[in-house]
Amino acid sequence: MEADQETRPGADAQRRLQLYAYLQPREHHRTYLAIMRLFTSTLLADLSAGEVSSALAAAERDGSIDVGESHVDVVIPRLRQLVEWGNLVHGRRETIASSIAEFLQGSMRYQVGKLAVRVQRDVDELLRVPEGAREVSRELLPAIERGLGELGEALATAIARSDRDPGSLPARRAREQLAERVTTLFLQHAELAATVRDFYAYLGQVLTRHHLAPEEISGFRNLLVEYIQLVVEDVLRHTPTIAAALAGLAPHRARLLALLRPAEQLGAAVERTRGRGEADWQELADWFADRPGNPSQVTALRDATTRAIGALLATVRRATTGGGLLPSRRAELVRLAGWFDRATPDEAHALYAGAFGLHSARNLLPAPEHDGDDEHTPWADGPAVDVSVSVRGRGDRGARGRTSRIMDDPITEQGLLAAARAADERREAAAAELAAAAAHADGIDSAVLSAPALRALCELLTLAMAQREGAADPGSATDQVRGLTLRLIPAQGRTTNIRSESGTLTLRDTAVDIARVQTARAVRDAR
């Protein structure tokens, strides 16, 4: 039973990923795509094989699918395959037919699954997306800021009316208004986050190109200097207010989620709208505010902008200082490509010989790695040879840069292994010292820790405090390698003093509990 429970998440993921099988560039994939568009084009689609065949006839006439794919005998196995993949489910209802074949074709009906609708919706949206940059919805930032202020007022009103009379009409209207504010807020944030991700994904795609024309460099410079500056300035201007509003709502999250409880008629296994769970609010707060060990998306946006500007400056420097193909050289290559495109085969051979100086000859390549004659194979059909960057860009075969590293250096390898073993021993000694200090009768307060033990303790403290929303929340962190677990327990009035050789660390209103379990590694080392 335990093995089945362990494999169930993997099996469910495999079943869901199977929903994308009809999108693979295999045979008849255009037919599968047309069928899924037919089922997702209307609500509660319930179609038979004959109805699908009739609808696909127009697509066949337009050339969207191959000839013959709309025939009912061809459509039936396509529908069965989609059922096997999980995109369609069987439906059945009474039908009137004049023959057994017509009855079989009309009685077996098909409906689309919930997850399959989402897959097809994402596919259609992906196919409509242009290749250029996506505009960032900067106007949503002030809307989110105003929405959080209105949300705080709506929450206070809903709490007051619900405490007075939960079943009254004013209380129900206050809860509906609160739900409206929450839904609008998360929809606005989802759109803003999506546009930011798409824009910076496009930016990273274009900055990876090494050879840019002068007009492209100018366009990207304007894009970075002007547009990104506006985006970053807007984000940084509104982020402090938004982060402060989210911090003010944090103590009231439990009451807010209780007021946004699901409708009883939907059942317990309902997929909630965003903003109805604690994880949704934590994700929203993490987008705008930093936490220890968890930088926000605003910080990531600022860092990405810095890297993008640096990459653009490197591209401009490379294009203007001879580090790569110059823009004028690029124009020449483009012109040469146009000549090749308009030339006849004989003219192309002559043009190639004149442009690159490669005439009919036999020994053009360096000596092969193995013995063998290849003089009967034309150069166009022979193996491709990697050309170094210096030869491609400057036509220079001279060695540049520093000397390459020695791939096999046993002395350095043994030195690094010895240093790693020494560091591991120091970490193990620090963990043992912390465990011994915690096991003392007076607790860790009575011990004086060494510098390595204090560093190990501070690492665990940082991870444990990153899990806390406030001073009244507990936190924990575990060193999986050495089996050391640290727990922070809120204790009003308790002061924990951790002394070390370099000073005293004081934790107020907090108790520290350290425990160590024997790991598999420790057992193996003991043996």
Side-chain angles (χ1 to χ4, degrees), residues 197-218:
R197 285 194 302 267
D198 291 347
F199 176 77
Y200 277 84
Y202 166 79
L203 194 60
Q205 174 183 338
V206 298
L207 288 177
T208 57
R209 296 170 54 188
H210 290 277
H211 308 302
L212 299 176
E215 61 274 9
E216 291 178 318
I217 294 177
S218 176

Side-chain angles (χ1 to χ4, degrees), residues 48-303:
S48 65
E51 293 170 343
V52 174
S53 175
S54 301
L56 291 181
E60 181 178 339
R61 289 192 298 269
D62 296 340
S64 301
I65 61 176
D66 296 335
V67 178
E69 286 294 308
S70 64
H71 194 275
V72 67
D73 294 334
V74 178
V75 169
I76 289 176
R78 306 284 184 265
L79 294 174
R80 290 174 179 172
Q81 182 63 67
L82 288 171
V83 171
E84 182 179 347
W85 285 331
N87 301 93
L88 299 180
V89 294
H90 284 299
R92 185 178 295 275
R93 70 181 185 184
E94 298 297 331
T95 184
I96 300 176
S98 58
S99 64
I100 295 178
E102 185 178 348
F103 174 77
L104 293 176
Q105 296 172 4
S107 61
M108 184 61 69
R109 308 187 69 83
Y110 301 89
Q111 297 176 352
V112 66
K114 167 195 169 182
L115 297 179
V117 171
R118 292 196 176 186
V119 170
Q120 185 59 40
R121 184 173 59 199
D122 293 341
V123 169
D124 290 333
E125 182 179 356
L126 176 65
L127 295 178
R128 290 192 299 266
V129 171
E131 293 291 339
R134 182 178 182 181
E135 183 181 4
V136 178
S137 302
R138 299 183 294 112
E139 64 277 2
L140 292 178
L141 284 166
I144 292 175
E145 182 179 343
R146 290 192 302 270
L148 283 171
E150 296 172 356
L151 177 61
E153 299 175 359
L155 177 60
T157 303
I159 291 176
R161 293 180 179 179
S162 297
D163 291 341
R164 189 180 307 114
D165 186 3
S168 64
L169 180 60
R172 290 198 301 270
R173 289 181 176 175
R175 288 194 296 268
E176 291 176 358
Q177 186 178 10
L178 178 64
E180 176 187 343
R181 301 294 185 192
V182 171
T183 301
T184 303
L185 172 66
F186 277 87
L187 287 177
Q188 291 170 341
H189 173 258
E191 178 66 17
L192 172 66
T195 56
V196 169
R197 285 194 302 267
D198 291 347
F199 176 77
Y200 277 84
Y202 166 79
L203 194 60
Q205 174 183 338
V206 298
L207 288 177
T208 57
R209 296 170 54 188
H210 290 277
H211 308 302
L212 299 176
E215 61 274 9
E216 291 178 318
I217 294 177
S218 176
F220 293 149
R221 182 181 63 242
N222 296 334
L223 178 68
L224 287 172
V225 174
E226 297 178 5
Y227 189 74
I228 291 187
Q229 183 179 1
L230 292 176
V231 173
V232 175
E233 286 180 353
D234 285 352
V235 171
L236 296 181
R237 182 169 64 254
H238 294 283
T239 292
T241 307
I242 294 176
L246 290 173
L249 285 174
H252 308 287
R253 280 188 195 173
R255 190 62 188 275
L256 172 64
L257 297 178
L259 292 172
L260 298 175
R261 63 183 183 275
E264 291 78 2
Q265 62 269 22
L266 293 180
V270 60
E271 181 182 1
R272 302 298 307 280
T273 306
R274 290 193 69 232
R276 271 65 174 174
E278 180 68 28
D280 298 332
W281 285 95
Q282 187 61 54
E283 179 183 355
L284 179 63
D286 290 343
W287 207 94
F288 291 99
D290 294 326
R291 286 194 300 160
N294 185 23
S296 65
Q297 291 298 311
V298 174
T299 302
L301 185 146
R302 187 189 303 115
D303 296 340

Side-chain angles (χ1 to χ4, degrees), residues 439-524:
H440 196 272
D442 296 333
I444 196 173
D445 294 21
S446 61
V448 178
L449 302 179
S450 63
L454 181 63
R455 283 196 298 268
L457 177 66
C458 290
E459 291 178 4
L460 293 176
L461 278 175
T462 302
L463 296 176
M465 289 183 176
Q467 300 179 359
R468 307 172 68 186
E469 292 294 333
D473 299 328
S476 64
T478 302
D479 187 344
Q480 299 292 344
V481 178
R482 293 162 185 83
L484 197 66
T485 300
L486 181 144
R487 293 190 303 120
L488 296 178
I489 305 171
Q492 189 66 29
R494 169 71 180 273
T495 300
T496 302
N497 295 313
I498 302 175
R499 292 186 295 274
S500 68
E501 298 174 351
S502 57
T504 302
L505 175 63
T506 302
L507 301 177
R508 302 187 185 278
D509 299 330
T510 303
V512 178
D513 180 31
I514 299 178
R516 191 179 190 187
V517 297
Q518 193 173 19
T519 61
R521 175 181 176 180
V523 174
R524 184 175 65 253

Side-chain angles (χ1 to χ4, degrees), residues 7-52:
T7 57
R8 190 172 301 152
D12 182 67
Q14 184 67 24
R15 177 182 60 83
R16 294 192 176 201
L17 292 176
Q18 194 72 16
L19 296 172
Y20 292 88
Y22 75 99
L23 298 172
Q24 299 298 321
R26 65 178 74 207
E27 190 178 5
H28 313 307
H29 72 280
R30 294 197 301 169
T31 305
Y32 290 127
L33 188 60
I35 293 174
M36 291 303 300
R37 282 176 174 167
L38 177 63
F39 276 92
T40 57
S41 61
T42 183
L43 300 178
L44 295 178
D46 184 77
L47 305 174
S48 65
E51 293 170 343
V52 174

